[in-house]
Amino acid sequence: MNYIVIDFEFNGAYSKRQHRFFNEIIEFGAVKLDENLRMIDNFSELVTPQISKKLNSHVSRLTHINMEELKESHNTFSHVLSKFKKFLGDGMLLSWGTSDILVLMENYRYFYGEEQLPFLTSYCNLQGYCEAALDYHDRARQMGLSTCAGLLGIGFRDDSLHRALTDAELTSLCFQKLYRPELFERYVDVCDETFYKRLTFKNYNIYDMRDPDINKKEMYFLCDECGRKARRRSKWRIKNKTFRAKFRCFRCKREFEGRITFKKCFDGVKVIKRIAELPEPKSASGQNAQET
């Protein structure tokens, strides 16, 4: 089994044919690892844009790619994809997060009219895997590639990132450092119908209390100081699609605002809870009580 770690650079383009903006791939980068996770080959190709005649200035600054070299590569998406499929063979595809594979699907759909990638048999989201391997559980923010590399002591230059092959190489190094067979197997997906449904499912927040997917038994908070159950002191209200209410712990005499987000995902509802300090009460003059 070979592992193919991919990364793409892409340009925001407007498709007149589809009347929408489109992420057009301008660079393929991939690293091939053997069954012992040794780097045995790599793949790097620029792609001549066919949808947009202009390169987004932000993309150009970030990648240091210009339109002239893209044109000079004389590589259509179909041409590069054909070479990449030979490079992939029957290997497993891996990427940092799912955005790259979604962009690949978007490009394949545009040029071939198909929703699924017929050359893909198995896949792993290395961002999710590395978060699990590092016991990283920041609900507000997913772990970035550079953060992961920093935590693992892998040196890199910031100005070398945002090129497809360089990012694929850095992703491979993180994978090598964190590889644990039993854990890794749990993050490998077979690319069947369920895989594509899960991948393309759009998560959304539920903010209607009457929604049957909301489990009201989850609408409680434990005091973050003593661990006891706090009592709700106000009605639930909605702000930024989040349920909020005031709570009080009668043991610690602590008051706080409890915030709950119910996020509908393909496999169910994810409940995210957060405790926030209440604002200082204001005096009649409008100043905080402490300031007066």
Side-chain angles (χ1 to χ4, degrees):
M1 167 67 75
N2 289 326
Y3 304 97
I4 313 300
V5 182
I6 60 146
D7 188 86
F8 301 113
E9 301 301 333
F10 44 87
N11 181 47
Y14 183 77
S15 169
K16 292 182 179 179
R17 190 175 84 186
Q18 296 187 345
H19 305 289
R20 67 180 183 89
F21 280 96
F22 179 87
N23 293 311
E24 184 173 15
I25 293 176
I26 58 172
E27 186 178 36
F28 277 65
V31 172
K32 181 178 289 186
L33 307 175
D34 66 13
E35 59 185 7
N36 297 311
L37 302 189
R38 293 175 300 198
M39 294 186 188
I40 57 174
D41 203 357
N42 63 57
F43 183 92
S44 180
E45 292 281 353
L46 293 175
V47 182
T48 303
Q50 296 171 261
I51 302 169
S52 177
K53 304 298 182 183
K54 294 183 179 180
L55 193 61
N56 183 288
S57 58
H58 174 71
V59 173
S60 185
R61 283 197 305 271
L62 203 62
T63 63
H64 304 293
I65 298 173
N66 58 60
M67 184 59 82
E68 288 70 29
E69 59 184 316
L70 291 176
K71 289 179 179 178
E72 289 171 1
S73 69
H74 300 294
N75 273 332
T76 64
F77 173 79
S78 298
H79 181 209
V80 177
L81 182 64
S82 178
K83 291 193 286 186
F84 177 73
K85 286 192 291 186
K86 292 178 182 177
F87 181 81
L88 174 65
D90 59 357
M92 180 188 297
L93 196 70
L94 306 92
S95 67
W96 187 266
T98 58
S99 60
D100 283 288
I101 192 169
L102 287 169
V103 167
L104 180 59
M105 289 170 58
E106 186 179 19
N107 281 254
Y108 195 81
R109 186 185 309 119
Y110 184 91
F111 290 107
Y112 293 90
E114 296 182 28
E115 295 294 322
Q116 299 180 8
L117 304 172
F119 51 88
L120 205 62
T121 57
S122 56
Y123 170 76
C124 177
N125 172 4
L126 284 178
Q127 183 180 49
Y129 169 74
C130 290
E131 286 180 341
L134 285 169
D135 199 26
Y136 180 94
H137 302 289
D138 187 341
R139 290 179 173 178
R141 186 177 182 181
Q142 290 182 303
M143 181 169 59
L145 176 58
S146 58
T147 299
C148 181
L151 290 172
L152 294 172
I154 300 172
F156 63 92
R157 296 197 337 265
D158 288 333
D159 60 359
S160 70
L161 298 179
H162 307 297
R163 288 301 298 261
L165 181 57
T166 302
D167 287 356
E169 289 172 341
L170 188 58
T171 303
S172 299
L173 291 172
C174 292
F175 178 44
Q176 288 172 330
K177 286 250 186 180
L178 291 172
Y179 181 65
R180 287 156 48 191
E182 290 185 4
L183 178 63
F184 178 68
E185 285 180 11
R186 290 173 16 209
Y187 283 82
V188 174
D189 289 308
V190 176
C191 299
D192 54 12
E193 289 289 337
T194 301
F195 166 76
Y196 285 102
K197 287 179 181 178
R198 180 184 292 109
L199 190 64
T200 56
F201 184 85
K202 303 293 185 184
N203 296 344
Y204 61 89
N205 289 346
I206 304 171
Y207 52 95
D208 185 347
M209 188 73 79
R210 296 167 297 181
D211 194 301
D213 282 322
I214 287 184
N215 182 0
K216 293 184 179 179
K217 292 181 179 179
E218 292 282 357
M219 302 187 78
Y220 69 91
F221 278 86
L222 302 179
C223 175
D224 56 352
E225 290 188 4
C226 70
R228 292 202 173 191
K229 192 172 182 178
R231 183 178 297 178
R232 181 161 57 89
R233 303 286 286 171
S234 70
K235 291 183 179 180
W236 288 106
R237 63 189 178 92
I238 298 291
K239 185 176 180 181
N240 297 330
K241 299 183 180 180
T242 300
F243 293 92
R244 305 183 181 202
K246 294 179 181 179
F247 284 81
R248 178 178 174 84
C249 174
F250 283 88
R251 181 179 182 180
C252 300
K253 310 300 182 187
R254 167 163 164 65
E255 294 191 352
F256 58 86
E257 183 179 68
R259 300 178 181 179
I260 304 180
T261 301
F262 292 94
K263 180 172 285 189
K264 178 68 173 179
C265 306
F266 179 80
D267 295 315
V269 177
K270 184 178 181 180
V271 182
I272 303 170
K273 297 185 181 183
R274 189 161 66 89
I275 287 176
E277 297 296 328
L278 290 170
E280 293 243 351
K282 291 186 177 181
S283 65
S285 64
Q287 293 178 305
N288 287 341
Q290 194 173 19
E291 295 174 354
T292 61

